[in-house]
Amino acid sequence: MSGFFECRQDAGGGPLLIAGPCAAESREQVLQTAMALQGIPGLFAFRAGLWKPRTRPGAFEGVGKKGLAWLQEARERTGLRLAVEIAVPAHAEACLKAGIDIMWIGARTVVSPFVVDDIAGVLSGSKACIMVKNPLNPDAGLWTGGVERLQQAGIGELAMVHRGFDAFSSHPYRNAPLWEIAMEMQQRFPGLPMLCDPSHIGGSRSMLAEIAQKALDLGMQGLMIETHIDPGQALTDQAQQLSPGELRSLTGRLQVKKADAGGFDTTLESYRAAIDGIDEQLLGLLARRMKVSELIGLYKKERRLAPYQPGRWAALLENRLEKGSRLHLDNDFVTKLFNLIHLGSLKKQG
Ligand code: PEP
Ligand code: MN
């Protein structure tokens, strides 16, 4: 089994690309998708989930072990390596037995150090390539712990996958990218490739190209993109899966900019990405605040209360100044900021 770096050389030094359906659904769907993906530049592995972690029971939960034979057939026909998610030790055992080349530990699993430990125990000493996705919650420590647990197990090769986070305000993304956390992980583990999963960050087809380009601009080495032979019929993550043709055109439009050459500055890009992400969250929070203002406005109107309540405003500003100063924010700045917010809110309340 060749590792990620060898694959990257095969890909001519360009980004590593993993593609395939969110979930294996049938033998035909697996084979048709894999064959339609053949020849896309940089594509080195075919992904498919066999055991699907679903938020609520009763939804399609994957075909399980029987999909392994479909994947093996896809590998025989296309020469693509296989990548499968493992969520419990039994999945790792089944994948090792079936000779799956790459396994990844998903966001819902990385949150549990107990489960990661148990999986690492099964993989210990194997030659498998393992990818560790970020945990659901924005916690670089937990992600680091997952990587370290696998490093200690002495496996073939490791990589990380950035798939976004459950955040208080993730709009317009399905999962907030919080690029700064992925950047921090790249600095902590400079020897490990970082792949981006734009599908789970964006949650919708139209957002994938921009996210994928951003990941490359930030120096990430690869992409994992969900691709289905007929996305409209997909049993899981329908809105975010691309058709093989759409993937081909998306990857064809990506630009790999070289750090240093031509003045492209990855460090500056990563700071900018952090700022962009934080601003998006700020806007999302402001919009939520305005919605609440609207509700307060209606409530006051019904009770014939004036929108402006001087006592409440004085107490609010004092409280925000105190909190702001604990966060080392300048008093004058906080005063001006909340005056603007308050004015906007009064306007909403009519
Ligand atoms: C997936 O890749 O299909 C998946 C379930 O991902 P995540 O663990 O990132 O939600
Ligand atoms: Mn998915």
Side-chain angles (χ1 to χ4, degrees), residues 211-332:
I211 299 167
Q213 184 62 58
K214 182 93 158 183
L216 299 187
D217 291 351
L218 293 175
M220 294 194 188
Q221 287 90 357
L223 300 166
M224 173 149 87
I225 301 184
E226 288 187 339
T227 315
H228 190 289
I229 191 68
D230 186 0
Q233 298 302 315
L235 298 181
T236 56
D237 288 352
Q238 207 180 87
Q240 71 195 30
Q241 301 210 55
L242 297 182
S243 68
E246 286 166 337
L247 178 72
R248 199 178 290 270
S249 109
L250 184 154
T251 54
R253 280 180 278 122
L254 291 174
Q255 289 176 22
V256 185
K257 300 168 192 164
K258 293 240 178 319
D260 304 322
F264 188 72
D265 185 337
T266 323
T267 310
L268 183 59
E269 277 303 312
S270 83
Y271 290 140
R272 285 181 174 157
I275 292 279
D276 290 349
I278 293 166
D279 284 354
E280 255 161 28
Q281 291 186 68
L282 280 175
L283 287 169
L285 287 173
L286 285 170
R288 283 174 69 170
R289 195 185 192 284
M290 286 300 181
K291 284 241 154 64
V292 180
S293 295
E294 236 174 278
L295 294 175
I296 294 186
L298 286 174
Y299 185 89
K300 287 179 180 164
K301 211 172 258 168
E302 277 168 15
R303 282 158 187 76
R304 297 182 187 284
L305 294 168
Y308 177 52
Q309 304 275 329
R312 160 71 178 157
W313 167 236
L316 185 151
L317 188 61
E318 193 187 326
N319 171 283
R320 304 307 185 259
L321 279 168
E322 193 190 315
K323 289 199 164 120
S325 102
R326 265 188 258 138
L327 295 167
H328 308 292
L329 292 171
D330 181 73
N331 270 358
D332 184 45

Side-chain angles (χ1 to χ4, degrees), residues 5 147 151 157-160 185-186 189-194 221:
F5 287 107
V147 172
Q151 276 181 327
E157 223 179 84
L158 266 180
M160 300 176 281
M185 292 296 287
Q186 284 193 288
F189 299 102
L192 303 189
M194 173 70 80
Q221 287 90 357

